[in-house]
Amino acid sequence: MASVNKVIIVGNLGRDPEIRYMPSGDAIANIAVATSYKSKDRNTGEQKELTEWHRISFFGRLAEIVGQYLKKGSSVYVEGRLQTRKYTDKDGVEKYATDIIAENMQMLGGRQGMGGDSGMDDGGYESSAPSRPQPQQQRQAPPPPPARPQPKPAPNFSDMDDDIPF
């Protein structure tokens, strides 16, 4: 039987990313993202908003991008998978935590704070990088943009014969 472990989160960072480096030199970034849910109380009819916090981990090049471009309050779209880990707290009690391991990320909400005004108000930065480097995968430079067709020169009518048969 097939299974799916896929999470999509759209929310705002509650604090600046935490960046660490593994002994191999690979980057790890952790963020906390808030999402909100609005509902109406059945008894009072009052609208209430519930906030949920999500721990998200990034690895490799994607972690470096997160550390460079995201900050507290940034809006972000993240795709990933759930992973539960077991740990022992300082009192010796075993606990479980469920985190999101990010596979794709897209920054939302424009380009403010990204090195000046680029004239792009609706922009954003999209990154789709593997969460862990793949062995035997070689990075190649992106292909050059396709060449524009050269405009054809205007016809030179002085080369034509005057003996047109019609």
Side-chain angles (χ1 to χ4, degrees):
M1 183 169 142
S3 64
V4 176
N5 181 356
K6 179 103 173 166
V7 177
I8 296 175
I9 297 290
V10 177
N12 297 316
L13 272 68
R15 63 178 186 265
D16 289 338
E18 298 171 3
I19 308 297
R20 297 184 321 249
Y21 291 90
M22 297 171 43
S24 65
D26 289 335
I28 300 173
N30 293 305
I31 62 173
V33 174
T35 57
S36 298
Y37 172 76
K38 292 183 182 180
S39 66
K40 189 181 280 190
D41 187 299
R42 290 183 185 215
N43 297 329
T44 65
E46 182 181 337
Q47 189 84 337
K48 59 182 179 179
E49 184 173 357
L50 303 169
T51 301
E52 189 74 32
W53 287 94
H54 311 275
R55 286 186 305 261
I56 304 175
S57 298
F58 298 85
F59 296 92
R61 179 69 181 128
L62 197 52
E64 293 171 5
I65 292 168
V66 165
Q68 185 175 2
Y69 293 106
L70 295 182
K71 61 183 178 182
K72 180 179 179 178
S74 297
S75 294
V76 68
Y77 167 95
V78 177
E79 289 182 21
R81 61 184 167 83
L82 292 176
Q83 181 173 313
T84 302
R85 58 186 167 87
K86 182 171 124 177
Y87 67 97
T88 305
D89 71 3
K90 61 184 176 186
D91 298 326
V93 178
E94 286 187 353
K95 293 188 175 184
Y96 293 88
T98 301
D99 298 325
I100 297 168
I101 306 301
E103 295 168 354
N104 295 308
M105 179 272 296
Q106 182 173 353
M107 290 184 261
L108 306 173
R111 298 177 61 91
Q112 62 271 31
M114 298 178 81
D117 183 18
S118 66
M120 295 176 61
D121 295 332
D122 61 344
Y125 181 87
E126 181 176 345
S127 175
S128 178
S131 60
R132 298 188 194 284
Q134 301 295 323
Q136 300 175 349
Q137 181 181 3
Q138 295 182 0
R139 297 180 187 248
Q140 297 178 353
R148 290 186 179 175
Q150 295 296 327
K152 294 182 181 179
N156 187 357
F157 292 109
S158 64
D159 295 347
M160 297 183 88
D161 269 338
D162 290 336
D163 298 335
I164 300 176
F166 49 82

